[in-house]
Amino acid sequence: MDYEYILTQLSKILSSKRLQHSVGVSKTAEEMAERFGGDKVKAGLAGLLHDAAREVPVADLLPMAQAFGIVVSDIEKAEPILLHAPISAKLAESKFNIHDAEILQAIFLHTTGGAHMSLLDKIIYLADVIEPGRNFGGLEEIRAMAYSDLDKALLLALDQSISYILEEGGLIHPATIEARNDLLIKQRTPILHTT
Ligand SMILES: Nc1ncnc2c1ncn2[C@@H]1O[C@H](COP(=O)(O)OP(=O)(O)O)[C@@H](O)[C@H]1O
């Protein structure tokens, strides 16, 4: 399935604003893949499809996740919006014929992150945060870092997300804490970790 066809199909299930965001994430992810020696095609597709389920009505997310056989945690039951990421991965597979495990994993992890993120996972997480349509305090520092030190940029973005949720009094998904701890451990003992 080619890029243009996916774009047309997405325009039927996403608002023009969200579609513009998805194209922004896709282009940013391609640029980052080029900068860091990743796969540009996979980055572009994962970026384009990462929010495929973002406009599914919240009330439908839990039953849809269950129908797809997604294991739903207590946090996701309490904050079903988080399920849009794993459901987007399932839609990419079932509706858009994407069977590449790396692309599907990057879509799955794009909102929470997780331990042991691959280069593509990191690129998609960050591209979602820094694409040109985004604008929030502290973004410029993350943007600048995203093209020089991927892990430092990711750490900044995870910290920003955790701080924001804390301020809002929200639940923090444990995968986000795991992503942060994993990066910090690797930063402290770089010789033991080459990825
Ligand atoms: N790591 C997280 N843990 C818990 N909730 C989160 C996490 N990341 C995002 N959320 C919440 O999930 C919702 C959707 O997140 P997201 O899709 O990233 O936002 P956006 O629509 O800006 O892309 C937000 O309301 C946010 O507060």
Side-chain angles (χ1 to χ4, degrees):
M1 206 172 276
D2 75 348
Y3 196 94
E4 288 305 317
Y5 181 79
I6 294 175
L7 203 54
T8 308
Q9 295 306 308
L10 280 177
S11 72
K12 297 176 187 171
I13 55 173
L14 295 178
S15 62
S16 61
K17 195 167 173 230
R18 184 86 52 191
L19 195 61
Q20 204 182 336
H21 164 68
S22 300
V23 171
V25 174
S26 178
K27 289 195 171 135
T28 304
E30 283 176 358
E31 286 167 16
M32 292 176 74
E34 194 157 331
R35 164 73 184 81
F36 294 105
D39 187 315
K40 247 181 108 172
V41 174
K42 289 188 188 191
L45 284 171
L48 189 61
L49 284 162
H50 81 287
D51 259 351
R54 188 62 178 82
E55 291 180 6
V56 170
V58 174
D60 295 347
L61 287 169
L62 193 54
M64 215 168 153
Q66 283 160 343
F68 272 127
I70 294 167
V71 178
V72 179
S73 69
D74 285 346
I75 300 223
E76 290 150 358
K77 274 186 193 141
E79 293 285 355
I81 193 64
L82 290 167
L83 290 168
H84 84 272
I87 295 173
S88 294
K90 290 291 184 187
L91 288 181
E93 191 174 19
S94 60
K95 197 173 157 71
F96 296 96
N97 227 9
I98 302 286
H99 300 291
D100 183 281
E102 290 178 4
I103 297 179
L104 298 177
Q105 178 174 297
I107 297 173
F108 189 101
L109 291 178
H110 85 265
T111 299
T112 60
H116 315 301
M117 289 169 83
S118 69
L119 175 62
L120 188 61
D121 298 339
K122 292 174 183 178
I123 285 174
I124 297 304
Y125 185 96
L126 274 169
D128 188 24
V129 173
I130 67 163
E131 65 92 8
R134 295 283 199 193
N135 182 21
F136 57 84
L139 179 57
E140 282 318 312
E141 194 190 353
I142 303 174
R143 264 198 188 122
M145 196 66 83
Y147 288 92
S148 57
D149 188 326
L150 197 63
D151 283 353
K152 270 195 190 150
L154 185 58
L155 204 47
L156 280 176
L158 290 164
D159 283 353
Q160 188 280 332
S161 171
I162 292 167
S163 302
Y164 174 77
I165 299 162
L166 282 179
E167 269 168 36
E168 297 287 302
L171 290 163
I172 299 172
H173 197 290
T176 311
I177 308 292
E178 283 168 22
R180 182 176 186 276
N181 285 345
D182 183 53
L183 278 173
L184 282 178
I185 289 169
K186 286 175 180 161
Q187 214 174 55
R188 286 178 193 182
T189 54
I191 291 166
L192 300 176
H193 304 96
T194 49
T195 53

